Amino acid sequence: MEVSLANYKEQVLADYRGNPLIEALPPILSFEEAFEQLSFLPQFHPDERNLSNHHRYHAILRLTRFFQPIGQTLNLEQRFSRFIRYGYIGRNPRKKEHVQVLNELHKKLIHNDDIGLPPDIRATASSFTLMGFSGIGKTSAVERIISLYPQVILHKEPVNCFQIVWLKLNCPYDGSLKSLCMDFFQSIDKLIGTNYFNKYGKPSYSISSMVTRMGQLARLHCIGALIIDEIQHLLSTKGEASEKMMNFFVTLINEIGIPILTIGTMKAKTLLQKDFRQARRSSGQGDMVWQQMKNDDDWEVLITSMWDYQWTRNYTELDRHLLDVIYEESQGIVDIAVKLFILAQTRAIETETEKVTANLIIQVAKEDLKLVQPMLNALKSGNLSEIGKFEDIVPMDIDEYVLNRLPILDLKAKIQEKKDKIATERQMKDLSMEERLVLALINLDIETEIAERISKNIIKKNPTLSISELMQKSLELVEEDRKKLKNNLTKGERSKNQLQLVIDKGKKDKKAAYEALYEEGFIKGLITINSKGD
């Protein structure tokens, strides 16, 4: 298990001061800081375009890890930051009330009483839902955001506890509440090395007993946020099972005091319009709906950031036409746009055209994305009855779910600034590497001109090697050059010696040098030359 030791930071807001669970969290980020920390641009060097086909096929897969935050991602990060901190306000282990609540919970569990919590604790627990089309990037965004937080923090005296900052679970495919509870116990055991699953999570135990134990453990280990993904799986349950699950979430929020983030596709809309929606009205966070991206500045920011990752021999400049084609063929669904870019490059390498074009993108969309074509065609048509056939992409028709698209940052400028910074760092790295290599070779008594030529060629062909590996290859190349030079000299000497022997032998036989060389086949006679001219 990976545990971080608590490092307490002074808090600006009075609400957060004196609470070790909040003080141990990373600093609150500005939009600019969140943009920098959430971005993940995989390693890339333009010289990799010269690699072999099979190596480039592997390199292209780096794009699957590419992550570029846009306006709605930064909005989500801010909400989650408030969400998790506000949930800790009513749970301060330095206050005696915290210990009293734990003791009361234990007594109620023994006597099978209703759990119940003081009003101040219930008031600080909140929840919100993130809904969106499949492949729109919901889960990726949440996972990038929670990666900014340590999952487990160890507090020493006087707190003495493991703080589980976040716990992410997937809603079971069959929508089983018991399976979700069992997963909860197993996840905690994996994180902090406990044995709760054997104590409370066996299949023979009742759901009600599991739920109450979950509440106790959530308080004991100070769970900051419970994240439930794939909530649309509840629709596959029969009878009242889905309603029980939603009531379970309401209990966690209102009675136990755990903030909950639920994630799902548009299928989950009908579930969230029931009682659970009413339970969230006091959260103040508001729900988020990520529909297909519009062909606007956010789209341009995303594609522009991704576009430099080209492993084809010939680089294609991004223009308005290409932006429109990628949007048309992906319909603003990020996962499909990234896959199209990967597939187009792969096809360009396979066919040896070595260039990404608009026609190629259209072709791979048609041939390689056949399974999603019906859904994409429905979105292209704009026909609500056609779109309605695909529950995962039903557009939201409720005003309160409409995403508020505020201009948070000038993302275009920020992207360009980051790209320029990466390019400069890469250039400086290359220059310094070449200088170091040249100096090392000169110190070995290799001529400056040769050292510079070899260093430049070696770094160009092997951009990802370390200085020691580059040095080894350079010395091998120097040795090869020396052997070639020696061989050439040896051949010249051998030829010179052989000719002299023929001439000397001719002299002994009283022959002219020309005659002796002609007889041995080293030169052609005048008769042969003249015969070609006839």
Side-chain angles (χ1 to χ4, degrees):
M1 62 179 178
E2 187 174 343
V3 178
S4 300
L5 188 62
N7 177 23
Y8 304 109
K9 304 164 193 69
E10 187 176 349
Q11 299 297 302
V12 175
L13 298 178
D15 300 20
Y16 299 160
R17 288 181 200 144
N19 188 328
L21 303 180
I22 297 176
E23 291 175 341
L25 296 177
I28 298 173
L29 302 178
S30 66
F31 283 121
E32 291 80 5
E33 290 168 335
F35 177 87
E36 288 291 329
Q37 294 192 31
L38 288 172
S39 297
F40 183 78
L41 305 180
Q43 183 182 2
F44 174 77
H45 196 289
D47 285 347
E48 290 179 339
R49 294 170 187 147
N50 299 321
L51 295 173
S52 62
N53 290 5
H54 57 280
H55 282 111
R56 286 188 290 158
Y57 290 145
H58 283 260
I60 288 171
L61 293 178
R62 289 183 208 152
L63 272 171
T64 59
R65 305 198 305 274
F66 165 84
F67 187 85
Q68 181 62 68
I70 55 178
Q72 63 188 14
T73 321
L74 299 176
N75 190 1
L76 177 61
E77 189 281 328
Q78 292 286 304
R79 291 190 188 202
F80 188 82
S81 178
R82 297 191 299 265
F83 165 79
I84 197 167
R85 286 170 172 81
Y86 196 66
Y88 276 134
I89 288 178
R91 295 183 286 165
N92 188 341
R94 283 182 182 158
K95 293 184 177 180
K96 62 180 181 180
E97 291 86 351
H98 179 79
V99 178
Q100 289 174 350
V101 167
L102 287 176
N103 290 334
E104 288 174 12
L105 272 172
H106 181 67
K107 291 177 182 177
K108 289 177 179 179
L109 284 168
I110 293 174
H111 296 96
N112 293 321
D113 295 335
D114 290 336
I115 298 175
L117 288 175
D120 61 326
I121 294 178
R122 292 199 301 268
T124 59
S126 62
S127 73
F128 72 97
T129 297
L130 174 61
M131 280 183 290
F133 298 166
S134 294
I136 207 69
K138 306 178 300 296
T139 300
S140 297
V142 169
E143 288 179 348
R144 283 297 298 165
I145 289 167
I146 61 179
S147 72
L148 303 180
Y149 295 81
Q151 189 169 11
V152 181
I153 299 174
L154 173 62
H155 296 265
K156 294 185 176 180
E157 290 187 59
V159 178
N160 287 328
C161 77
F162 282 114
Q163 175 187 359
I164 299 176
V165 180
W166 53 268
L167 189 65
K168 184 175 178 290
L169 307 174
N170 285 332
C171 188
Y173 284 101
D174 59 359
S176 165
L177 180 54
K178 179 170 282 191
S179 296
L180 184 68
C181 294
M182 292 165 65
D183 191 18
F184 177 91
F185 295 124
Q186 287 176 324
S187 296
I188 291 182
D189 287 346
K190 186 177 179 181
L191 284 174
I192 59 175
T194 48
N195 193 31
Y196 293 133
F197 177 76
N198 288 332
K199 288 182 178 178
Y200 312 128
K202 291 183 178 179
S204 57
Y205 295 162
S206 68
I207 292 176
S208 60
S209 67
M210 287 186 184
V211 170
T212 52
R213 288 297 179 184
M214 284 175 68
Q216 182 189 31
L217 297 180
R219 296 286 301 175
L220 180 64
H221 297 300
C222 308
I223 295 179
L226 183 61
I227 303 165
I228 312 290
D229 202 354
E230 308 291 358
I231 196 174
Q232 71 277 1
H233 289 161
L234 291 178
L235 291 173
S236 62
T237 60
K238 297 179 181 179
E240 299 178 350
S242 64
E243 187 176 346
K244 286 181 179 179
M245 181 76 85
M246 300 312 292
N247 289 336
F248 162 66
F249 293 152
V250 173
T251 300
L252 289 179
I253 298 165
N254 292 343
E255 300 299 323
I256 300 172
I258 306 177
I260 294 183
L261 166 59
T262 51
I263 309 169
T265 65
M266 295 304 189
K267 281 184 180 180
K269 180 178 69 172
T270 54
L271 291 168
L272 300 173
Q273 290 172 337
K274 295 181 180 180
D275 292 340
F276 185 51
R277 181 177 168 195
Q278 302 299 323
R280 297 196 312 274
R281 287 194 179 275
S282 63
S283 70
Q285 296 294 333
D287 295 315
M288 299 185 73
V289 177
W290 288 7
Q291 302 194 62
Q292 63 191 121
M293 291 183 68
K294 295 179 181 178
N295 193 356
D296 57 10
D297 286 348
D298 267 359
W299 180 255
E300 186 175 344
V301 162
L302 179 71
I303 302 303
T304 300
S305 181
M306 176 181 72
W307 198 253
D308 281 342
Y309 290 90
Q310 291 185 46
W311 282 270
T312 51
R313 305 271 191 229
N314 303 310
Y315 181 83
T316 302
E317 293 290 344
L318 182 64
D319 55 24
R320 185 70 253 175
H321 178 58
L322 278 166
L323 275 170
D324 292 341
V325 167
I326 297 172
Y327 184 84
E328 179 68 14
E329 297 304 323
S330 68
Q331 283 299 294
I333 297 177
V334 177
D335 183 60
I336 294 177
V338 174
K339 283 184 170 65
L340 274 176
F341 194 42
I342 291 172
L343 291 169
Q345 291 193 59
T346 304
R347 183 72 64 89
I349 294 171
E350 284 175 358
T351 58
E352 298 184 352
T353 57
E354 294 289 353
K355 190 176 179 66
V356 175
T357 64
N359 288 337
L360 183 59
I361 291 169
I362 294 170
Q363 183 183 355
V364 296
K366 183 179 179 181
E367 296 175 3
D368 297 337
L369 295 178
K370 291 179 180 178
L371 290 177
V372 296
Q373 281 303 318
M375 180 187 78
L376 293 174
N377 290 333
L379 285 171
K380 289 177 186 179
S381 72
N383 188 317
L384 291 178
S385 61
E386 288 296 314
I387 294 173
K389 295 177 183 178
F390 304 93
E391 289 181 306
D392 273 357
I393 61 169
V394 175
M396 300 301 294
D397 53 1
I398 306 168
D399 290 342
E400 68 182 284
Y401 281 99
V402 175
L403 180 62
N404 182 20
R405 302 171 66 86
L406 293 174
I408 298 170
L409 277 176
D410 183 356
L411 290 177
K412 284 186 185 178
K414 202 69 182 173
I415 290 284
Q416 190 57 49
E417 180 185 324
K418 192 171 185 68
K419 286 167 66 176
D420 291 344
K421 181 181 177 183
I422 291 172
T424 302
E425 288 175 351
R426 185 168 60 212
Q427 184 181 16
M428 291 301 295
K429 180 181 177 182
D430 292 346
L431 287 173
S432 61
M433 188 75 79
E434 185 175 335
E435 288 171 353
R436 289 165 62 192
L437 191 56
V438 168
L439 289 172
L441 292 173
I442 291 172
N443 288 334
L444 294 175
D445 294 329
I446 296 170
E447 292 181 14
T448 303
E449 185 178 348
I450 296 174
E452 289 177 350
R453 174 175 57 81
I454 287 177
S455 298
K456 187 175 182 180
N457 290 337
I458 287 291
I459 290 177
K460 185 177 181 180
K461 292 178 181 178
N462 307 277
T464 59
L465 295 185
S466 66
I467 185 67
S468 58
E469 291 169 326
L470 290 170
M471 188 66 183
Q472 183 179 350
K473 286 192 173 291
S474 298
L475 292 174
E476 289 172 358
L477 192 56
V478 169
E479 188 61 29
E480 286 177 14
D481 284 357
R482 285 176 174 170
K483 284 182 180 179
K484 287 179 183 177
L485 183 61
K486 184 178 180 181
N487 289 337
N488 289 338
L489 290 172
T490 304
K491 285 179 182 177
E493 290 172 358
R494 191 185 306 126
S495 299
K496 182 179 177 181
N497 293 338
Q498 194 171 359
L499 291 173
Q500 190 63 48
L501 288 172
V502 171
I503 294 169
D504 291 344
K505 185 174 181 288
K507 284 180 180 179
K508 289 180 181 179
D509 296 335
K510 297 182 179 181
K511 294 178 183 178
Y514 178 88
E515 186 182 359
L517 291 171
Y518 170 73
E519 287 179 355
E520 294 295 328
F522 282 96
I523 57 176
K524 293 185 178 180
L526 292 174
I527 296 174
T528 305
I529 297 171
N530 289 337
S531 66
K532 287 186 177 181
D534 289 340

